Amino acid sequence: MIVQSAPDGGDEFAIFNHLESEVRSYARSFPVVFARARGAQLFARDGTAYLDFLMGCSSLNYGHNPPALKSALADYIAGDGITHSLDLYNEAKESFLQEFHETILRPRQLDYVVQFPGPTGTNAVEAALKLARKITGRANVIAFTNGFHGASLGALSCTGNRYHRAAAGQLLGGVSRLPYDGYLGSTVDTADYLDRLLSDPSSGVDAPAAVIVETVQGEGGLNVAGTEWLRKVAVIARRHGALLIVDDIQAGVGRTDAFFSFEASGLRPDIVTMAKSISGYGLPMAIVLIDRQLDKWAPGEHNGTFRGNCHAFVTARAALEHFWRTDSFAASVEEKGNLLKNRLEQIAQKYDPSRVSVKGRGMMRGIDLKSGEVAGQVIRTAFQKGLIVETAGAHNEVVKCLPPLVIGEDQLSQGLDILKDAIESVIGSLGQGMAKLSRKRARDC
Ligand SMILES: *Cc1c(COP(=O)(O)O)cnc(C)c1O
């Protein structure tokens, strides 16, 4: 192996192109080098400000460097607080658990215990699946079309996306795929289909350990499960001896107004997975909430080195204290979610619904442009105008807005104006392209 010489300057991205693996992804959509961030804004090295409607894919619900969390963390570090201690008892974890109990679990009368798995979402999903299989003695799991649950093997088996699945390089087993709510159109109740399959001993679907579901599919394109459908799925799971796992990694922590995305439907999942915004500061942290009766883990049975990120505990606790002790934050998020909905609908109104429509719930909403190519052009155009926003969906056809939940109305409007202009200019130029094409066709005839 010959070590290639490092690139010399000139190209702003030289070291990334030379040394970072081709696996990098988001960076390709937003090719600048970022230096700082504050609230709803990211600043490039040259000082250019961008409005951020990606927010670490909903890992930064309280914005970049939220002041209350930053000062709590800075104080903790300045006082030589413990950074890492495996899962030893420590004060940072103690305060987080106390706050989580008082502010989140107790008012909602949720009797969960908290497991700290490895620090990423996929770690939480792996732990949840493993526990469900251990408890029930069953191997199969029900997951839904367009679901996204992570990229490690067990979680990837539950993930629908073919591109991500193919990267496993092996068969992904132990999961039966069922159609999500609305997958077969509005006239087919896919929960009935699930019930039918599980009730029929000859359906070919093995009795499941768990049903894993997102209430709003983030990566899958902002598909929203109806309240009735969710309730039905919960009842069906219980009736057939399967645990209900709600993957709240993206839709939770206020993204859909309430702390948990399932609160509106009155669901009581057996297991809940959380990650992304739980630390509130973008620090790696994941938790699995387990119904107290179902905590069948033996000591150390699911282990890992990084299960005690004290800095994340400090910011997670500060976030709960600052934003969740009263209902006012959730109410403000609901208001902003409605504003987002109205503005997106105004944008979509100008077009045929078969071409442009609005999807999502709360502060995770977007515009379905029915074409990955169009959506890709829209986000590139938006980026040139100063907005960072990504696509989601089976064909990357949905422009997904995940503004920080603390964003001011002026900045929210500003971002949506950019998005509106980007959609107008991309669809406008498509229209011109088509008009040209049809004129050319007419001439050719
Ligand atoms: C992001 C995500 C995951 C995976 O989390 P990672 O931290 O990327 O491993 C799992 N489930 C859902 C719903 C997600 O949005």
Side-chain angles (χ1 to χ4, degrees):
M1 181 187 254
I2 299 164
V3 179
Q4 294 180 20
S5 58
D8 45 358
D11 177 1
E12 203 196 352
F13 311 113
I15 192 66
F16 302 106
N17 289 333
H18 176 67
L19 211 55
E20 191 176 0
S21 161
E22 289 300 327
V23 79
R24 62 197 186 275
S25 59
Y26 295 105
R28 297 172 191 272
S29 303
F30 312 108
V32 295
V33 178
F34 294 101
R36 289 184 314 111
R38 181 109 208 234
Q41 287 181 307
L42 270 168
F43 300 93
R45 177 153 58 193
D46 67 3
T48 310
Y50 293 88
L51 272 171
D52 189 356
F53 281 16
L54 175 58
M55 290 321 277
C57 205
S58 203
S59 303
L60 297 156
N61 281 1
Y62 314 111
H64 290 280
N65 295 315
L69 280 61
K70 181 163 80 175
S71 60
L73 180 60
D75 290 349
Y76 183 80
I77 291 174
D80 276 338
I82 295 164
T83 298
H84 170 83
S85 65
L86 298 171
D87 68 359
L88 297 181
Y89 297 140
N90 61 66
E91 290 182 339
K93 191 200 278 186
E94 178 179 56
S95 322
F96 166 72
L97 286 171
Q98 272 164 351
E99 187 73 38
F100 194 70
H101 180 253
E102 288 304 310
T103 302
I104 303 298
L105 296 181
R106 207 161 67 141
R108 293 166 181 75
Q109 300 185 326
L110 293 169
D111 195 19
Y112 290 126
V113 299
V114 181
Q115 176 183 3
F116 297 99
T120 67
T122 204
N123 293 145
V125 171
E126 295 291 344
L129 296 172
K130 204 196 256 191
L131 180 63
R133 287 177 168 131
K134 176 180 162 138
I135 291 169
T136 59
R138 298 172 176 181
N140 196 28
V141 165
I142 303 287
F144 293 98
T145 49
N146 301 114
F148 183 85
H149 301 286
S152 57
L153 281 185
L156 189 57
S157 303
C158 297
T159 291
N161 186 291
R162 194 176 289 158
Y163 178 72
H164 289 124
R165 292 174 67 85
Q170 66 174 73
L171 287 175
L172 296 169
V175 171
S176 297
R177 183 81 38 194
L178 268 290
Y180 192 69
D181 192 17
Y183 190 73
L184 299 170
S186 57
T187 55
V188 180
D189 187 337
T190 61
D192 288 341
Y193 179 55
L194 171 65
D195 196 22
R196 183 74 199 274
L197 289 177
L198 297 185
S199 304
D200 177 358
S202 284
S203 69
V205 174
D206 294 327
V211 175
I212 183 165
V213 66
E214 295 159 272
T215 62
V216 182
Q217 295 184 321
E219 298 309 290
L222 300 175
N223 308 310
V224 179
T227 297
E228 284 313 310
W229 186 86
L230 284 170
R231 286 186 189 151
K232 235 165 139 174
V233 166
V235 170
I236 293 163
R238 180 138 311 156
R239 190 177 334 122
H240 294 283
L243 303 184
L244 179 68
I245 303 172
V246 170
D247 181 347
D248 231 7
I249 290 171
Q250 189 161 155
V253 194
R255 187 45 72 184
T256 55
D257 315 339
F259 187 81
F260 298 109
S261 73
F262 53 82
E263 287 179 50
S265 57
L267 239 54
R268 301 215 146 220
D270 299 297
I271 300 176
V272 182
T273 54
M274 310 196 84
K276 293 203 164 90
S277 265
I278 187 71
S279 84
Y281 205 73
L283 293 168
M285 174 177 174
I287 56 176
V288 184
L289 304 177
I290 304 163
D291 182 304
R292 186 178 298 280
Q293 309 303 320
L294 297 173
D295 184 19
K296 303 296 182 202
W297 285 121
E301 198 175 14
H302 186 74
N303 223 330
T305 304
F306 288 106
R307 293 175 299 119
N309 180 351
C310 294
H311 291 174
F313 297 154
V314 168
T315 55
R317 191 205 73 84
L320 297 180
E321 180 189 341
H322 194 75
F323 294 104
W324 293 100
R325 280 196 180 173
T326 69
D327 296 334
S328 61
F329 178 65
S332 78
V333 177
E334 189 178 349
E335 243 170 65
K336 265 174 241 176
N338 288 332
L339 188 69
L340 178 59
K341 173 171 182 270
N342 293 340
R343 287 293 310 272
L344 292 176
E345 277 170 357
Q346 273 170 21
I347 296 174
Q349 239 168 32
K350 295 179 56 183
Y351 306 96
D352 191 293
S354 66
R355 199 130 187 230
V356 181
S357 64
V358 176
K359 294 177 86 176
R361 181 154 84 82
M363 282 286 271
M364 57 190 302
R365 295 183 198 262
I367 294 216
D368 186 349
L369 292 160
K370 324 286 175 181
S371 150
E373 209 171 307
V374 175
Q377 279 185 41
V378 166
I379 67 160
R380 281 191 292 277
T381 307
F383 179 62
Q384 282 158 13
K385 297 170 194 275
L387 175 69
I388 293 172
V389 64
E390 254 293 2
T391 58
H395 306 281
N396 299 316
E397 74 282 16
V398 180
V399 175
K400 180 170 71 165
C401 297
L402 298 170
L405 308 183
V406 296
I407 193 169
E409 281 187 21
D410 47 341
Q411 282 184 321
L412 185 59
S413 275
Q414 205 184 323
L416 291 168
D417 286 343
I418 295 175
L419 183 59
K420 173 171 165 279
D421 290 350
I423 290 174
E424 273 172 11
S425 86
V426 169
I427 293 190
S429 68
L430 279 179
Q432 276 163 21
M434 296 238 252
K436 251 186 229 155
L437 202 65
S438 52
R439 274 202 301 279
K440 181 175 178 309
R441 284 217 187 98
R443 269 204 314 274
D444 290 349
C445 286

